[in-house]
Amino acid sequence: MRIYLGAAPGVGKTYAMLAEGQRRRSRGTDVVIGFLEPHGRKLTAAMADGLEVVPRRECEYRDARFTEMDLDAVLARHPRVALIDELAHTNVPGCRNAKRWQDVEELLDAGIDVVTTLNIQHLESLNDVVRQITGVTQQETLPDAVARRAEQVELVDMTPEALRRRMVHGNVYPPDRIEAALTHYFRPGNLTALRELALLWLADRVEEGLRRYRAEHGIATGWETRERILVALSGGPEGETLIRRAARVAERIQGADLLAVHVMPCDGLALGNQPALAAQRALVESLGGRYYQIVGDDVARAIIQFAQAENTTQIVLGASRRGWPAAALTGEGVGVRVTRLSGSIDVHMVTHEHAAGPPGLRLPRAGRGFGVRRYVAGAALAVLLLPALTMVGLQGRFALSSALLGYLLPVIVVALTGGLYVALATAVAGALLADYYFTPPLHSLAIARADDAAATVVFVVVATLVSWAIETAARQTRRAARASAEAGALSTMAGAALGGPNLPAQLEQIRQLFGLDAVSLLDRAPASGPGQAWHVLASSGERPPEHPADADTSVPVGQTLTLAGRGRVLGGSDQRVLVACAEQIAACLDREQLAARAADADQQIAADNARTTMLLATQRELRAPLAQMQDTLDRLGTHKRISTEQRHELAATGQASLARIATCLTDLQDLAQARAGALDIHLRPVELDDVLSAALDDLGPGGHDIVVETPEDVPGVIADANLLTRAVTSLATNALDRNPCTAPARVTVSVLPDSLAINIIDHGPGVPVPHGPRPPGAARGATGPAPDGSLPVRTAQALTEAMGGTLRCHDTPGGGFTVSLTLPRNTARS
């Protein structure tokens, strides 16, 4: 299966599918059209010429007749390739399959290759995101797994501006649907967001394919298809230094990604300095990077595994803060192990002011709990220290009291390292060694003196109490760390929610936080059948669960949503925190829905205000020529005897009125296209003298009443010559209508350092300040764009802003109205 994927209707998916069919037919491949929906587009229908079409099957539903793809006919024809349009289409009830993608699966099972089309908004996982962007809920959806199974997915891309121009030219929808589409679904912001979704979804599929290929071929080394700089953070004070150093490395490489990772232990959600980690995460995100938290007891190996999974090319680490005695006692540090395990990944070891602190012995930090590895480490320390101290005692001929004090040291060290039980075993072993080597009779477990027996018992009691105190402190520390980690996790989720609507990022945060393989946000569809009661709104990780039954753990999110995770069963405390995270997501979704409704309402109000203003301005502009036309017709109808001279005069008046009406309609069309972003704009250097001459010619005889004042060597501007001429003509026409007969209207040019200003000046009534109700959007005061709400001025403003310029209106000194049109200069001449 090959899918042509698009961001929105009209980008050319069906055309590309038919072009692929024509290409294969020219090579001799047996190709048929199983289903085609050209939507009345002539170019699309023309591309289908010469391709065999399998007749459709007629279906009757609720006293109406529909046509669907005839699946049985395509199977009976059994071509090599079938072209099937609109993969996410829902079939009419009564067909064998409810969805067209199910028909396609039958064709694939029969050995027929399929070339099909799909819009990004029809993917199940993006349905909720598309609804938030466009305000439209897509009823026809396609499971992501179907699209992922495609052998090839090709993006048919088009810029929002180009698609809107296609829409205005009538190449997508019929004329009666163009305006509604441009002002609602096909707004530039909507198209840009949908295009980004399509690009990101396809990029994720490419990344999945690369990871799958590397996994299938056992490739563990990173492929430097793109530089990815990973900085490892411990929560220490050196974190900001490392982040800035990694950011500088990434800035020097075009297109490099910046990643940051913090490794948490498996026995708790998070440890370390949570305020410092929160600040470091904010710094990473402010520098354009991504922050991750992963789970692992072996920090170095977890960093390397994450780096390999993300195809990282460079790792930035901080120099160790431990002195040499601590390093000698506990072995090589994280930096040394990462360097040893890194393979082909470059490792940058960055020094900082906290590196290698004052020399001194620092015991292994307690408080992370005592797992198997810690028990083994404690037992190993006991095996090393007890014989060593025994040898020292024998060489120095220690008394029993000195030997017992000496054996207390390994008990404390082992208690800090391995916990209570290993410490108790060490205390008993120390007492037996003291009895055997330092208590008369020597080399015997018998004790001759009562005070020696008492000293041995006291030693065991003291060692037991010390070990118990250390174990209790470790448990309390573990509980405190757990509480801090839970608070940190909720704070992280709250911060992610405040950052904006990004469900995949929040789910990725939860997945990393709890060490899960995959996380899905599932929505329950009440009207679906039992096998399709759930669909995935967003997901993170490989093979995310598509049903709560497929998950190892799940919690409800609101009334219809469920957060499902796969990878491990969470304990009670983890489950409690996951519920709190789910509540954060539910609150975020509610907030997004309210914001989307408010934004839609604001856009609708703004569009209604703009439409009302446009209609009022058009009404004002058309009132005078329509009145003149009516008067001309009345005079022609009531006067039976009209001289030839009077007839010519009335005809001239009628023609002038019709020209005025045509000008108003042209202004209205230009204004609508400019606001829809559907103008064909070609910016290039333009000579201002040519533009002014063309504008005066367009004015006809009225152009002789305008005085033009320009500098001798006026520079050019960067503009579209046709649009600039249209804007100047509209403003000059408006000035002639307003200007009294006592003084002529003027056009002057002002040369500014980086721009050029064209001033159209009249001596009419000036900027009117209306009393009482005003049309929405009309400005009050002496300064601003189109304060009088006239259609010519608003048209000129829209055309100027479309070319990257500005238009401002103000009173003319001494009385009148001045419009200043400013555009960038052509600096190539100077």
Side-chain angles (χ1 to χ4, degrees):
M1 181 167 62
R2 178 172 187 164
I3 296 177
Y4 284 96
L5 178 70
V11 297
K13 303 179 302 299
T14 304
Y15 188 90
M17 177 189 72
L18 294 172
E20 174 67 13
Q22 294 284 12
R23 184 182 68 83
R24 298 196 184 193
R25 184 177 72 92
S26 66
R27 295 186 311 180
T29 306
D30 183 16
V31 181
V32 302
I33 296 178
F35 186 88
L36 175 64
E37 189 58 71
H39 295 287
R41 299 165 192 167
K42 296 180 180 178
L43 294 177
T44 302
M47 181 55 70
D49 289 345
L51 292 172
E52 179 185 347
V53 180
V54 177
R56 298 189 186 185
R57 171 174 174 260
E58 290 190 358
C59 306
E60 187 171 350
Y61 179 66
R62 292 184 178 177
D63 299 329
R65 300 193 68 80
F66 302 90
T67 59
E68 293 287 356
M69 181 180 73
D70 193 337
L71 177 60
D72 292 329
V74 177
L75 288 171
R77 172 63 176 75
H78 205 281
R80 182 70 183 86
V81 178
L83 308 181
I84 310 246
D85 205 5
E86 298 181 354
L87 182 61
H89 172 76
T90 300
N91 293 329
V92 174
C95 295
R96 184 159 71 220
N97 296 313
K99 297 286 187 177
R100 183 165 294 160
W101 62 265
Q102 295 171 325
D103 296 338
V104 168
E105 286 190 337
E106 287 198 31
L107 296 177
L108 295 172
D109 292 340
I112 301 174
D113 291 344
V114 173
V115 182
T116 184
T117 63
L118 178 68
N119 280 330
I120 193 67
Q121 64 265 28
H122 294 300
L123 286 173
E124 192 76 67
S125 65
L126 299 176
N127 186 266
D128 188 62
V129 180
V130 171
R131 179 178 55 80
Q132 294 165 7
I133 294 172
T134 64
V136 178
T137 301
Q138 297 293 335
Q139 301 299 327
E140 295 182 334
T141 56
L142 176 82
D144 284 41
V146 176
R148 286 195 179 99
R149 285 198 296 268
E151 184 180 7
Q152 300 179 57
V153 179
E154 181 173 336
L155 181 66
V156 182
D157 191 27
M158 180 177 289
T159 64
E161 295 78 13
L163 180 55
R164 287 171 63 84
R165 283 198 298 270
R166 290 196 67 199
M167 184 79 65
V168 171
H169 295 158
N171 294 331
V172 179
Y173 287 154
D176 58 336
R177 296 177 57 189
I178 293 177
E179 182 180 358
L182 288 175
T183 55
H184 291 87
Y185 193 89
F186 285 81
R187 294 196 297 264
N190 290 0
L191 296 177
T192 302
L194 292 173
R195 188 185 185 201
E196 182 179 12
L197 281 178
L199 291 169
L200 290 176
W201 188 88
L202 189 59
D204 289 341
R205 302 293 79 74
V206 173
E207 185 72 16
E208 285 180 4
L210 179 60
R211 291 180 181 177
R212 184 167 55 251
Y213 178 85
R214 294 176 61 204
E216 290 173 353
H217 292 77
I219 302 173
T221 58
W223 282 4
E224 298 183 7
T225 55
R226 184 174 185 176
E227 288 286 341
R228 288 182 171 88
I229 317 300
L230 175 66
V231 54
L233 302 175
S234 65
E238 76 283 358
E240 294 187 1
T241 302
L242 302 182
I243 293 169
R244 292 190 175 94
R245 175 63 174 145
R248 289 196 297 271
V249 173
E251 286 175 359
R252 296 190 185 106
I253 304 172
Q254 183 68 28
D257 288 338
L258 175 63
L259 310 175
V261 63
H262 170 66
V263 181
M264 301 177 300
C266 291
D267 55 2
L269 284 178
L271 290 173
N273 191 338
Q274 288 300 307
L277 285 172
Q280 291 165 15
R281 172 178 183 163
L283 178 60
V284 169
E285 293 175 347
S286 69
L287 294 172
R290 302 193 300 273
Y291 178 89
Y292 296 91
Q293 286 183 328
I294 61 177
V295 178
D297 278 335
D298 191 335
V299 176
R301 191 169 297 278
I303 292 173
I304 291 298
Q305 290 175 350
F306 178 82
Q308 292 174 344
E310 294 296 327
N311 204 16
T312 300
T313 56
Q314 301 182 50
I315 300 176
V316 176
L317 296 170
S320 177
R321 300 194 303 269
R322 303 180 305 159
W324 66 267
L329 180 63
T330 60
E332 60 184 9
V334 172
V336 176
R337 295 196 65 223
V338 168
T339 304
R340 181 165 54 82
L341 298 172
S342 62
S344 62
I345 304 175
D346 297 336
V347 178
H348 300 266
M349 193 69 69
V350 179
T351 187
H352 49 87
E353 60 181 354
H354 305 282
L361 180 63
R362 291 193 290 178
L363 297 173
R365 182 176 60 179
R368 289 200 176 185
F370 303 102
V372 175
R373 297 181 63 226
R374 300 293 295 272
Y375 288 140
V376 173
L381 281 175
V383 170
L384 292 175
L385 292 177
L386 288 176
L389 288 174
T390 302
M391 295 296 295
V392 171
L394 292 175
Q395 293 291 334
R397 300 183 182 278
F398 287 176
L400 177 62
S401 58
S402 300
L404 291 176
L405 287 176
Y407 287 132
L408 190 59
L409 175 62
V411 171
I412 296 174
V413 173
V414 169
L416 290 170
T417 306
L420 176 63
Y421 300 109
V422 182
L424 290 178
T426 305
V428 173
L432 294 176
L433 289 173
D435 183 14
Y436 189 82
Y437 288 105
F438 301 101
T439 304
L442 298 178
H443 306 297
S444 172
L445 294 180
I447 301 176
R449 297 169 51 188
D451 54 346
D452 292 342
T456 304
V457 172
V458 170
F459 166 77
V460 173
V461 172
V462 170
T464 301
L465 292 176
V466 169
S467 302
W468 177 81
I470 292 174
E471 174 72 11
T472 302
R475 289 179 180 175
Q476 292 175 350
T477 303
R478 193 160 59 250
R479 293 194 188 100
R482 179 75 190 187
S484 175
E486 292 178 2
L490 296 178
S491 175
T492 300
M493 288 299 301
L498 293 175
N502 194 344
L503 281 177
Q506 290 176 288
L507 295 181
E508 175 64 17
Q509 187 69 33
I510 291 176
R511 187 183 74 81
Q512 299 286 355
L513 200 61
F514 292 93
L516 298 172
D517 295 336
V519 177
S520 298
L521 185 61
L522 305 176
D523 186 16
R524 183 174 64 250
S528 301
Q532 301 176 358
W534 297 87
H535 63 270
V536 180
L537 290 182
S539 63
S540 175
E542 296 289 339
R543 297 186 296 107
E546 300 181 358
H547 193 280
D550 302 333
D552 295 316
T553 183
S554 62
V555 294
V557 181
Q559 296 181 349
T560 62
L561 302 180
T562 294
L563 186 63
R566 182 183 59 77
R568 68 186 183 97
V569 179
L570 300 183
S573 56
D574 285 355
Q575 191 83 3
R576 185 181 67 252
V577 179
L578 185 61
V579 169
C581 292
E583 292 174 352
Q584 293 273 11
I585 292 179
C588 183
L589 290 175
D590 292 341
R591 193 162 54 247
E592 291 167 13
Q593 291 177 357
L594 292 176
R597 293 194 188 103
D600 289 342
D602 291 342
Q603 290 176 351
Q604 188 64 39
I605 291 173
D608 291 342
N609 289 343
R611 192 176 294 107
T612 302
T613 303
M614 190 184 305
L615 292 175
L616 291 175
T618 305
Q619 179 186 6
R620 286 196 299 270
E621 295 296 328
L622 292 177
R623 185 180 294 119
L626 287 175
Q628 288 182 350
M629 181 64 71
Q630 183 66 42
D631 180 65
T632 300
L633 294 175
D634 290 342
R635 291 175 62 184
L636 287 172
T638 56
H639 293 77
K640 297 181 179 179
R641 295 181 179 180
I642 300 177
S643 64
T644 302
E645 182 179 354
Q646 289 176 330
R647 185 176 289 106
H648 287 315
E649 180 181 354
L650 291 174
T653 302
Q655 289 177 352
S657 299
L658 288 175
R660 182 71 178 274
I661 293 172
T663 301
C664 290
L665 294 178
T666 302
D667 287 344
L668 191 62
Q669 181 181 5
D670 291 343
L671 182 58
Q673 288 187 346
R675 288 185 172 174
L679 288 173
D680 288 324
I681 302 176
H682 304 282
L683 297 179
R684 56 174 62 88
V686 175
E687 295 296 333
L688 199 58
D689 291 338
D690 298 338
V691 172
L692 295 179
S693 299
L696 293 178
D697 292 341
D698 291 343
L699 291 174
H704 301 294
D705 299 330
I706 295 181
V707 176
V708 179
E709 301 174 359
T710 61
E712 293 184 0
D713 189 16
V714 59
V717 294
I718 303 299
D720 184 298
N722 293 329
L723 297 184
L724 181 57
T725 302
R726 188 77 189 88
V728 173
T729 302
S730 296
L731 295 175
T733 302
N734 186 62
L736 288 174
D737 292 340
R738 298 170 51 88
N739 198 64
C741 299
T742 56
R746 292 185 299 134
V747 176
T748 66
V749 177
S750 303
V751 181
L752 304 175
D754 298 320
S755 58
L756 207 69
I758 305 173
N759 307 304
I760 294 88
I761 306 168
D762 66 57
H763 302 281
V767 180
V769 181
H771 300 282
R774 296 181 300 153
R780 181 184 292 277
T783 303
D788 64 343
S790 65
L791 184 60
V793 177
R794 291 188 177 276
T795 302
Q797 178 188 0
L799 296 177
T800 304
E801 291 177 351
M803 294 183 291
T806 58
L807 185 144
R808 290 290 182 268
C809 307
H810 54 85
D811 286 324
T812 302
F817 181 58
T818 298
V819 181
S820 296
L821 188 155
T822 305
L823 288 167
R825 284 178 55 181
N826 178 21
T827 57
R829 294 181 52 188
S830 56

